[in-house]
Amino acid sequence: EAGVAQSPRYKIIEKRQSVAFWCNPISGHATLYWYQQILGQGPKLLIQFQNNGVVDDSQLPKDRFSAERLKGVDSTLKIQPAKLEDSAVYLCASSLEYRGFNYGYTFGSGTRLTVV
Amino acid sequence: AQSVTQLDSHVSVSEGTPVLLRCNYSSSYSPSLFWYVQHPNKGLQLLLKYTSAATLVKGINGFEAEFKKSETSFHLTKPSAHMSDAAEYFCVVTSDDKIIFGKGTRLHILP
């Protein structure tokens, strides 16, 4: 079974530039998450999708971050403009929902963003 | 190589009794360790974290965990379970840019 695919693997940009990350979840997984993991910390949930609808985006800095999942499959996360503190690994995860719980939680390899 | 093993896929306790969720890890470097909780229809929520300071870590909602290097364990405990504790719990180890999630433990609270 193919895992959660993310690209690019690494990205280096200057502050105030824009960047986009892409995620393709496991086939059939209705729930998709984007997490931000700053070095030395655990992952922080940025946004959760159920199919193409947003379930939770309470910790997404909406002045600069945006995410979409137009067809309920793959998703993009964008930062515009980037700040130095956005340097982190951006993880995408997907899961299958059953009776209110999520199973088969699978994480992608992540995109390491460095803002200089 | 790093790994995380959550020893029980399901744990059932009665309300008001202690909770113990077990986690063992292996890591080549000094790891950071975390416990996350996932309630139905929600994303992961951080319960507590260990980052090489005090070995007994207190988290939210009365949970705590003790880092035992000699046993490579980071078990999660709570003195008295509440119905709202019913959820999925994940033990996580990170080192540099690697993050490893355990497979999760489903906690059931019996009335």
Side-chain angles (χ1 to χ4, degrees), chain A residues 6-65:
Chain A
Q6 286 190 249
S7 66
R9 186 74 178 91
Y10 301 94
K11 189 73 177 180
I12 301 174
I13 62 172
E14 295 182 349
K15 59 183 178 183
R16 290 188 289 274
Q17 284 187 322
S18 302
V19 65
F21 313 127
W22 174 83
C23 172
N24 190 17
I26 290 177
S27 177
H29 280 195
T31 310
L32 185 147
Y33 311 81
W34 282 103
Y35 290 88
Q36 179 194 56
Q37 187 195 0
I38 294 173
L39 190 64
Q41 302 180 19
K44 180 182 83 170
L45 177 67
L46 293 175
I47 188 166
Q48 176 186 350
F49 291 96
Q50 183 73 22
N51 296 308
N52 61 348
V54 175
V55 174
D56 184 355
D57 63 356
S58 57
Q59 298 191 90
L60 187 72
K62 297 180 185 62
D63 57 334
R64 298 183 300 106
F65 285 65

Side-chain angles (χ1 to χ4, degrees), chain B residues 13-69:
Chain B
V13 301
S14 297
E15 191 174 18
T17 65
V19 174
L20 170 64
L21 304 183
R22 299 181 294 167
C23 173
N24 286 99
Y25 71 94
S26 67
S27 176
S28 302
Y29 305 99
S30 297
S32 294
L33 295 159
F34 306 81
W35 275 99
Y36 282 81
V37 61
Q38 187 203 9
H39 291 278
N41 302 314
K42 298 286 188 180
L44 295 175
Q45 178 187 15
L46 179 65
L47 273 181
L48 49 81
K49 63 180 179 180
Y50 166 78
T51 54
S52 76
T55 56
L56 182 62
V57 181
K58 294 188 183 299
I60 62 172
N61 301 335
F63 284 94
E64 60 183 41
E66 186 172 7
F67 174 70
K68 292 187 176 180
K69 188 174 181 179

